Amino acid sequence: MSIPGTPMAWAPDSLAGAPVAGHRVVAQTVPLAQERLTDQAEQSPLTVLRRWESSPGGLDEREAQDRLLRHGEGGVPGFGARTGHLIRAVAAPFVVVLICLSAVSALTRDPRGAVLICLLAVLSGGLRLFQEYRSDRAAAALRAIVTTTATVLRRAVPDAVPAAREVPVEQVVPGDIVQLNPGDVVPADLRLLSSSDLTIDQAVLTGESFPAGKHGAWTQVPEPSDGPPELFDHPRLCFMGTTVVSGSGTAVAVATGSDTYFGATIRDLPVRSPETAFDRGVRSLSWALIAAMAAAIPVVLTVTGVVRGDWPQALLFAIAIAVAITPEMLPLVVTTLLVRGATGMARNQVIVKRLPAVHNLGAMDTLCIDKTGTLTVERVSLTCHLNPLGRPDPGVLRWACLNALWSVELTGRLTGDAIDEALLRHAGMLDGSRGVGVIPFDFARRRATVVLRPAGRGCDTLVTKGSVEDVLNVCTRVRIAGSELALDVAERVRLMSVGDRWAADGVRLLAVATAERPPVGRALTPADEHDLTFIGFVGFRDRPESSAAAALAALGRYGVGIVMITGDHPLVARRICRDAGLRVTRVVTGRDLAALDDAAVADLAVSGAAFARVGPPQKARIVKALQAAGRTVGYLGDGVNDAPALRTADVGISISGAADLARESADVILLGKDLRILEEAILTGRRTFANTVKYIKIAVASNVGNVMTMLTAGLMLPFLPMLPLQVLVQNMFFDLSQLSLVYDRVDESQIRRPRGFDLRNLAQFVACLGPLGTLFDLATFALFWRVLHAGSSAADQVLFHTGWFAENLIAQALALCMLRGRGRSAPRAAWPVMAAAAALGLSGLLLPFSPLAGILDLRPLPVAALPLLAAVLTAYWTATIGVRYLYVRLLHRWL
């Protein structure tokens, strides 16, 4: 059996950029694709079933299997653990630098150096690989919590009686008859055939907190005069990934898998994650190191070769310079710092899926945030209960609560909708009135009515609750100050204006009306809803997250600007911002964005604008505009409509209860909705970055000083001041000692503001403190040459190498302690740093006495050399303190 026609395929990747007509912008327009979907919604149920060659009893199993083979599995395409971890680990810039150095060492017949550098590359890449694998396993555990089955009607053979059965979401095919019940996740894009009080939570797609009413009767609601409803407002369409809040329904699947809006959003995401602030910083630093290494080799080779005439020795010396200028342990140290930061975040309920996100969190200076599930909890709250004059009236609340209670009780539902639940939380102890009849809420009447029979009274009370306009349509009187007055046209207009004023503050008002009626002894019908008395309003709005205001204020103090981006109404966005303590200069809608260039969008965001009625492509565009303006952007969201922005941002942040696609697109997952968790994660990222910068600055300054020393000594001495293997081992010992910076304390001034890689500041630091080491290295050379006469023979050259090897390691141990902070105001060094510095200094003195001395070509120093070393190092200590003081005073900055 074949399916005639072509099923609708939503394809945002071909969208052009004009906003969808109407008040909500969810995606860019695809006229043909949208027309196919809305066309099926406007057709009769029988016509839709014929189009898909299905029936009310569903497909038979053989036909379902055939369609599964033709259309492929449904569900969410592309989900699962990310791949390519090994490629990313090996292709990291710092690892590439190590691999290149290892290759150079191998080509110059230095197998020991090549193996040693290659081992460092393996350790660095392996740490990153392990951390990302562990994070993916944690994310996979979250995915396993999500419902993965759907209820469909199937027949064993074509003529068999249809039966409901549970099937994996992946096995739902176009033409399947799907049954929806409270709590179900919609498994495909569906066209409703029938329904009963069905409400759907579409927040993951639209950002709106109030559930949307859906019904299957295609003639039930006349089409409005201004055209068909928008896609997500259409009452007969349900979308994959949304959730059934209440009621039930039967629908036919019209799109599955990647043909759904949900699946197409995944197709529309970039295959590769965009370059983040960390990636840009690492790339800049890596190229700076590579450029310095590339520039040093020919200069040193040419100068040494021309001056000495010994080109083989000049080549070895140039390789030594290249090794000296590059911090070989940089990948391992940076990776270890990021892993420790990620581990610390895990203890604080934060899963880091990509290690660079640790840095990006700390560098983030702008956080774009969607309100649903982050600034607000995922349920509405009762805001007010008013009489017709707009004044608080507990009597109105009582009648509304009775309506909610018996609407749930008499319809046999276990729970009410979001409005009823909010009312019942405030119901308290109600009187002895007993519900005897109900007309359930439907989306044609937009109201619900119950009949109450108070004990000891001979008449019933009819209580109606619903939209203001639709309740007013069945009212003829209004109760004001205890008197019932005729409800004329002017009073109707006034009551409607009350609702409009509250709506401007983001509050949704419902009307309440009552009437006294004699018992009728029959079931209640909509015809009984007439001649009611209007008694007041009850108001609802999104319930703000209790910790949001304090958390956002703290982020502001730490230099993180907040930008609200939501698919909800502009008035709701403004009110949520006010509740959260965010200053909003104006609200920009998705329609407004179409007329603005990216620079203007960024200016609006930075100046305090909030964005409402924006869809997934526009959210991503706002993020890109901020990045183009030089901002490091984070995005916090939990819906399908947030996925493109999450993937585009420097750091995408989601929560554990978010939609699958949002979690998959994020770099960081918060296991709780308290934004204070994010605040602590940002501070952890900044501490990690502060220690990363400590390592980079100390290592590069020390290495540059060594290079200057070797270049100067190479022009003055008749031999190499240190052998290439000695340089490599010295750097390795120094870098291993700097691993202790992972555990170091951080000056609070370094985490107050966002920070990124600053090559200019690095250059200033190195220019001030690098030559200082060179000065005292040359002093050491002079003392060894003149006092100890080291260098006059081959044995004396070994003594010279040993002396500088020891002096250099001890000087680097001193630098590790002195350059880790700005002086007395810096926190005391952590004990691992002190222990590592002591071990580094002792290694310089003890290695010549160890079994490695022969391999490294070292020999024990004479006792006469020790006072010389002590004098030089004491002078170096004193001079470094003085230069550090001047550096801080003149430049007013430190690490």
Side-chain angles (χ1 to χ4, degrees):
M1 182 181 296
S2 62
I3 300 178
T6 304
M8 189 286 300
W10 185 264
D13 47 327
S14 61
L15 302 179
V20 175
H23 66 276
R24 181 188 296 117
V25 179
V26 179
Q28 297 168 320
T29 308
V30 187
L32 180 58
Q34 183 171 339
E35 181 181 350
R36 288 174 176 169
L37 188 57
T38 55
D39 176 58
Q40 294 182 78
E42 297 303 322
Q43 293 173 348
S44 69
L46 182 58
T47 302
V48 175
L49 290 173
R50 286 176 176 173
R51 175 172 182 167
W52 292 101
E53 294 192 358
S54 185
S55 70
L59 305 173
D60 62 77
E61 291 292 351
R62 181 175 179 179
E63 175 62 20
Q65 290 301 316
D66 288 344
R67 296 190 184 191
L68 186 62
L69 293 175
R70 287 199 300 271
H71 294 277
E73 288 192 345
V76 183
F79 267 20
R82 296 171 299 152
T83 59
H85 293 305
L86 181 60
I87 295 175
R88 285 194 299 273
V90 173
F94 291 152
V95 176
V96 172
V97 170
L98 285 180
I99 293 173
C100 292
L101 286 173
S102 177
V104 170
S105 297
L107 291 174
T108 55
R109 299 181 181 180
D110 183 10
R112 290 176 296 184
V115 170
L116 186 56
I117 298 175
C118 187
L119 178 62
L120 298 179
V122 170
L123 287 174
S124 177
L127 270 174
R128 175 172 179 170
L129 183 66
F130 172 74
Q131 172 63 20
E132 293 198 359
Y133 171 74
R134 186 173 64 175
S135 297
D136 268 359
R137 289 190 61 184
L142 291 175
R143 286 195 299 270
I145 301 174
V146 181
T147 303
T148 57
T149 62
T151 303
V152 298
L153 289 179
R154 293 273 179 88
R155 292 170 292 168
V157 295
D159 295 330
V161 176
R165 55 168 296 192
E166 295 284 325
V167 299
V169 170
E170 294 79 8
Q171 294 183 16
V172 175
V173 298
D176 255 329
I177 303 300
V178 180
Q179 294 183 336
L180 299 175
N181 291 290
D184 287 350
V185 176
V186 177
D189 283 352
L190 307 176
R191 197 284 190 192
L192 277 172
L193 303 176
S194 63
S195 65
S196 175
D197 305 325
L198 182 64
T199 59
I200 302 289
D201 182 355
Q202 300 185 141
V204 295
L205 297 178
T206 66
E208 293 194 356
S209 302
F210 288 97
K214 302 290 183 177
H215 62 79
W218 68 287
T219 58
Q220 188 171 349
V221 179
E223 187 174 285
S225 58
D226 57 350
E230 297 179 43
L231 191 63
F232 289 105
D233 288 336
H234 205 294
R236 291 182 286 279
L237 294 177
C238 301
F239 296 90
M240 182 178 183
T242 58
T243 306
V244 179
V245 176
S246 63
S248 60
T250 301
V252 58
V254 296
T256 60
S258 60
D259 288 337
T260 64
Y261 176 85
F262 191 103
T265 304
I266 299 176
R267 274 205 326 267
D268 220 24
L269 295 177
V271 177
R272 298 179 60 185
S273 298
E275 189 178 51
T276 67
F278 178 84
D279 300 325
R280 293 189 292 272
V282 166
R283 176 171 50 80
S284 300
L285 180 60
S286 299
W287 279 111
L289 293 174
I290 293 171
M293 182 176 64
I297 291 177
V299 171
V300 174
L301 179 62
T302 302
V303 171
T304 308
V306 170
V307 171
R308 304 243 178 127
D310 188 348
W311 290 97
Q313 187 183 48
L315 178 60
L316 289 175
F317 189 58
I319 293 172
I321 292 290
V323 172
I325 204 171
T326 306
E328 296 84 4
M329 288 288 288
L330 188 56
L332 182 58
V333 171
V334 170
T335 303
T336 304
L337 283 162
L338 293 178
V339 168
R340 178 166 172 80
T343 303
M345 290 182 186
R347 288 195 293 267
N348 291 317
Q349 296 185 302
V350 179
I351 295 176
V352 178
K353 295 174 61 182
R354 291 181 64 246
L355 280 180
V358 175
H359 161 264
N360 293 335
L361 274 172
M364 178 177 68
D365 55 27
T366 304
L367 175 63
C368 299
I369 187 168
D370 179 41
K371 72 174 184 66
T372 308
T374 51
L375 297 184
T376 61
V377 297
E378 294 178 336
R379 62 181 183 180
V380 297
S381 61
L382 178 69
T383 302
C384 60
H385 38 86
L386 311 170
N387 64 23
L389 297 178
R391 297 166 185 165
D393 186 342
V396 175
L397 176 61
R398 171 180 169 271
W399 288 115
C401 290
L402 285 168
N403 178 283
L405 173 65
W406 291 106
S407 291
V408 175
E409 292 282 350
L410 296 177
T411 54
R413 293 180 291 167
L414 297 178
T415 60
D417 59 19
I419 298 296
D420 288 341
E421 289 295 321
L423 284 169
L424 292 177
R425 286 194 293 271
H426 294 79
M429 294 299 294
L430 299 175
D431 60 26
S433 298
R434 179 171 58 90
V436 295
V438 61
I439 309 176
F441 179 89
D442 65 57
F443 292 95
R445 297 164 38 252
R446 297 198 301 172
R447 56 182 179 261
T449 298
V450 298
V451 176
L452 305 178
R453 184 162 296 166
R457 293 183 59 184
C459 64
D460 295 338
T461 302
L462 186 146
V463 183
T464 296
K465 172 180 92 291
S467 74
V468 176
E469 180 181 3
D470 290 277
V471 170
L472 282 172
N473 288 339
V474 293
C475 290
T476 56
R477 294 177 300 279
V478 57
R479 184 178 300 159
I480 297 178
S483 301
E484 293 192 5
L485 308 176
L487 184 59
D488 56 22
V489 174
E491 183 64 11
R492 288 177 184 272
V493 172
R494 188 190 68 79
L495 291 172
M496 288 293 297
S497 69
V498 172
D500 293 339
R501 287 198 303 272
W502 281 87
D505 197 34
V507 177
R508 177 184 178 185
L509 288 187
L510 298 183
V512 182
T514 62
E516 299 292 327
R517 301 285 169 82
V520 295
R522 59 174 175 79
L524 201 63
T525 69
D528 294 308
E529 297 174 320
H530 63 86
D531 296 327
L532 305 183
T533 298
F534 191 97
I535 64 170
F537 308 91
V538 284
F540 306 86
R541 66 180 181 183
D542 289 337
R543 180 180 176 184
E545 180 65 52
S546 58
S547 63
L552 292 181
L555 293 180
R557 290 193 297 271
Y558 285 114
V560 180
I562 306 297
V563 179
M564 159 79 82
I565 303 177
T566 180
D568 214 332
H569 194 282
L571 296 175
V572 174
R574 185 181 290 275
R575 194 261 310 159
I576 291 294
C577 288
R578 187 181 67 243
D579 289 348
L582 296 178
R583 184 183 64 86
V584 175
T585 56
R586 60 175 292 189
V587 178
V588 181
T589 66
R591 187 187 300 276
D592 299 330
L593 284 178
L596 301 174
D597 59 23
D598 286 351
V601 172
D603 288 343
L604 284 171
V606 172
S607 65
F611 298 87
R613 293 299 194 202
V614 292
Q618 293 172 314
K619 291 184 177 185
R621 183 194 169 198
I622 295 168
V623 171
K624 289 179 181 178
L626 286 165
Q627 290 172 327
R631 297 278 177 157
T632 301
V633 185
Y635 189 94
L636 173 59
D638 64 348
V640 173
N641 57 345
D642 296 314
L646 286 167
R647 187 70 64 90
T648 302
D650 291 292
V651 54
I653 309 164
S654 193
I655 58 179
S656 59
D660 285 0
L661 182 56
R663 293 202 308 267
E664 292 295 328
S665 301
D667 303 305
V668 174
I669 298 176
L670 308 181
L671 298 184
K673 295 183 180 181
D674 190 336
L675 289 179
R676 287 172 293 189
I677 297 174
L678 178 59
E679 175 192 346
E680 184 56 39
I682 290 173
L683 296 182
T684 300
R686 292 184 183 178
R687 294 187 187 99
T688 299
F689 182 68
N691 284 333
T692 302
V693 173
K694 281 183 192 178
Y695 166 77
I696 292 173
K697 288 192 171 182
I698 295 173
V700 174
S702 177
N703 287 358
V704 167
N706 285 342
V707 169
M708 294 175 65
T709 300
M710 296 179 73
L711 185 57
T712 305
L715 297 174
M716 299 170 56
L717 298 176
F719 55 88
L720 292 178
M722 192 179 294
L723 300 178
L725 183 59
Q726 292 170 346
V727 173
L728 177 61
V729 171
Q730 174 191 264
N731 284 0
M732 185 189 70
F733 273 60
F734 183 39
D735 289 337
L736 282 174
S737 70
Q738 288 186 97
L739 281 172
S740 63
L741 292 174
V742 171
Y743 304 95
D744 198 18
R745 299 181 180 93
V746 174
D747 191 333
E748 288 300 311
S749 65
Q750 298 176 29
I751 63 174
R752 289 175 187 163
R753 313 298 296 177
R755 300 172 62 216
F757 288 100
D758 186 347
L759 294 182
R760 180 181 177 184
N761 182 237
L762 174 62
Q764 292 172 342
F765 185 92
V766 172
C768 288
L769 294 161
L772 187 64
T774 299
L775 178 63
F776 285 93
D777 284 340
L778 294 177
T780 303
F781 291 174
L783 289 173
F784 277 19
W785 185 269
R786 292 186 178 276
V787 178
L788 299 180
H789 305 288
S792 57
S793 65
D796 290 339
Q797 291 177 16
V798 173
L799 182 61
F800 187 98
H801 293 158
T802 304
W804 188 36
F805 185 89
E807 183 269 343
N808 205 281
L809 284 180
I810 298 172
Q812 288 176 333
L814 296 177
L816 182 62
C817 295
M818 291 187 294
L819 301 184
R820 53 167 293 276
R822 58 189 302 149
R824 293 182 179 179
S825 64
R828 186 167 53 89
W831 72 262
V833 177
M834 301 302 294
L840 180 63
L842 288 174
S843 66
L845 296 173
L846 299 180
L847 268 178
F849 297 93
S850 73
L852 295 176
I855 299 175
L856 298 176
D857 202 12
L858 301 174
R859 58 176 284 192
L861 291 173
V863 176
L866 298 181
L868 299 179
L869 286 177
V872 171
L873 292 170
T874 301
Y876 173 69
W877 174 280
T878 304
T880 300
I881 292 176
V883 172
R884 181 185 65 187
Y885 174 79
L886 292 175
Y887 175 83
V888 173
R889 289 295 301 270
L890 293 176
L891 297 179
H892 303 287
R893 64 194 303 180
W894 186 241
L895 302 174

